[in-house]
Amino acid sequence: MPTEMPLGLPFVVDTWGSSSGRRRHHHFLTHAHTDHLANAQAYPGDTVYATKLTMRLALQRVPQLERGAFVEMELGKRLVVRDPDGDFSVTAYDANHCPGAAMFLFEGPFGKILHTGDCRLTSNYVHNLPLKVEENNCRLDNVYLDCTFSEFPMFPSKELAIQQVIACILKHPYAPFVYLHCERLGHEEILLEVSRTFGSKIYLDRGWNLDYFDTLSLTVPEIITDDPTCRFQIVGRNQFKEIKETKLEERRASRQPDSLLIRPSTKWYANAHGQNQKLSLTEAEQDDSGVWHICFSIHSSRDELEQALQILQPQWVISTTPPNFANELSYVRKRCLAHITQENVPLSINFCSTSFEKEVYEDFVRRIPFSGKSPRVVEIYETWVDHRTFGLSMRVNGHISEHCMNMMGQAIMSEGSDAAFDMHVLHSEYAKMLQYPFQYQENISDDLTDQNQGYKLDNMDAVFMPLQMCKTWYLVVANFWKKRFEVLSPLGYTNELIREARSVVYNFQKAFHNAYTGSRRVKIKAMDITFHTISKSDNESDSGIFIMKALDLYDLEKHIFFKDSDAKGLREQLTFYLLDHKYNEKAPIMYKG
């Protein structure tokens, strides 16, 4: 299934789930393969943007879409889309994938985003893209990239693969029938060349392949015939299997010449590559059942993706299909992902607790009230946490609650006069608004103003946003000093976390810009985003304790790197820190050092 776009964007591409439809009325469809139309019937009233051929093919598969509105996209023509949250433009480009397939370049308040859909981005093709003509004005912020076969190093060009099909047929002149097991949509170039080279139309059995007939009647009607005696025949998966298992055996038993079965595809080669088998990419390969395979791909190889990214030079790359194979590309590792290693940690940092801190911690955890009333134990300027919530969070393998994270943020901000820079830690309620803006009716921009935050955020050196995805904590930092956003994760990065973090950044940029329109100090929309790993832990329960300490230690320049063994000492340290905090109105005398 295609990857969801960040929630803060006013459009979706190729997805039709519940989050795609909520308050986003612009659905862009890159092409008409069925996996890109999954659940489209659930949104028959929305506006769909696609090329004319893709529209016609999509209506064959999902007739319910006819109830909505289609906006035809012409290749190379820029379209302005009106939206209540701000107009944006989109330009369609040929995706070199299947008939009707398009890539979309979106430009608006969110920056410049290229969504490739499914594509075959050879270097020659990318060099000839019209968007490169405006190279100086087309800095791409994000590319949503088709990485379907990014693990396969190299494919023959489409032209060479088609010639291999022709050569295979020429080597079998006595084959009475040539069965071509082609895809319903995407192999038309092969069929056209076979028809042209041998001066013959190609038979398609409607009874077996009605879907194929409907599609090919739109894409290549001139080469389709209903004459079953035709030597060249298109067969679908089930028909191909029957021919392979029965008809070939019958002809061999009667000592008649074998028919020729040809399967142009990539998956057979990709499977062999995964098993370290070396197959020829320059000529057809025959398997044990007698089928001839040709490596024909309508997706890019790894080498093609690397070359395309070097030409396009995007700031960030996200795979259009989970998992995020884009992170394995050399360009992404070198240009987009920043990883912090153990050698970057200052040697003077010691996360071991003192004997007194440990004693206070153990006593505090031992006396957690598991029933009845739980008294407040930390309260700083109206932010508070009770004994049970705090104790259960801080004990070993306890999940850090949002109340404890808010408490840590308040404790650090209360020491502002002692800090080396001005920082603001966003409360969890505001952070949730940035994660899930459509679940809240409030105007996020109003919530970021100095009246609601108590500070003018554009006077800060940084705004810290602790966030949870499921039970994993991570931190987004709006580093105004370094003019960038930084995402700090204790557990590395998944496609989902990267997508959510970028959505949070976009929503914050939009809300901040509206709240501080006249700000001369912070050019929020010009700030890039970087990603940093701050531990090698795989324990999601410890992610919160590492983020709490990162709030305390991060100096806007050097990230701290935590070890698994640091977690217990940090729990003891931070428990004592909050209980003993000089502004804690509930600090019991026994905890005073």
Side-chain angles (χ1 to χ4, degrees), residues 363-371 387-389 391-392 395:
D363 179 61
F364 180 75
V365 171
R366 184 170 56 250
R367 295 193 296 107
I368 295 173
F370 288 96
S371 61
H387 192 161
R388 181 163 51 241
T389 301
L392 293 176
R395 68 181 183 175

Side-chain angles (χ1 to χ4, degrees), residues 134-205:
E134 305 173 30
E135 186 169 2
N136 294 332
N137 299 318
C138 197
R139 174 184 176 274
L140 293 173
D141 296 289
N142 302 320
V143 169
Y144 284 78
L145 184 66
D146 173 18
C147 296
T148 302
F149 289 113
S150 61
E151 295 182 316
F152 203 101
M154 186 181 300
F155 292 138
S157 67
K158 284 184 179 180
E159 294 75 17
L160 287 175
I162 292 171
Q163 289 308 310
Q164 290 177 38
V165 174
I166 301 300
C168 185
I169 298 172
L170 290 172
K171 287 180 180 178
H172 299 83
Y174 300 109
F177 291 100
V178 177
Y179 296 106
L180 299 165
H181 180 14
C182 291
E183 297 297 333
R184 178 184 63 84
L185 180 63
H187 285 182
E188 288 80 358
E189 293 167 272
I190 297 173
L191 301 176
L192 286 168
E193 186 60 21
V194 168
S195 177
R196 188 195 67 79
T197 300
F198 297 97
S200 170
K201 291 195 173 186
I202 304 177
Y203 171 67
L204 179 61
D205 186 342

Side-chain angles (χ1 to χ4, degrees), residues 57 96 131 149 178 206 244 427 438 450 505 510 520:
L57 291 168
N96 194 28
L131 67 90
F149 289 113
V178 177
R206 291 184 63 174
K244 184 171 66 173
H427 191 277
F438 299 125
D450 54 326
V505 168
K510 184 177 178 181
R520 296 183 179 180

Side-chain angles (χ1 to χ4, degrees), residues 122 150 254 308 331 451 511 547:
T122 64
S150 61
S254 61
Y331 177 93
Q451 290 89 347
I547 292 302

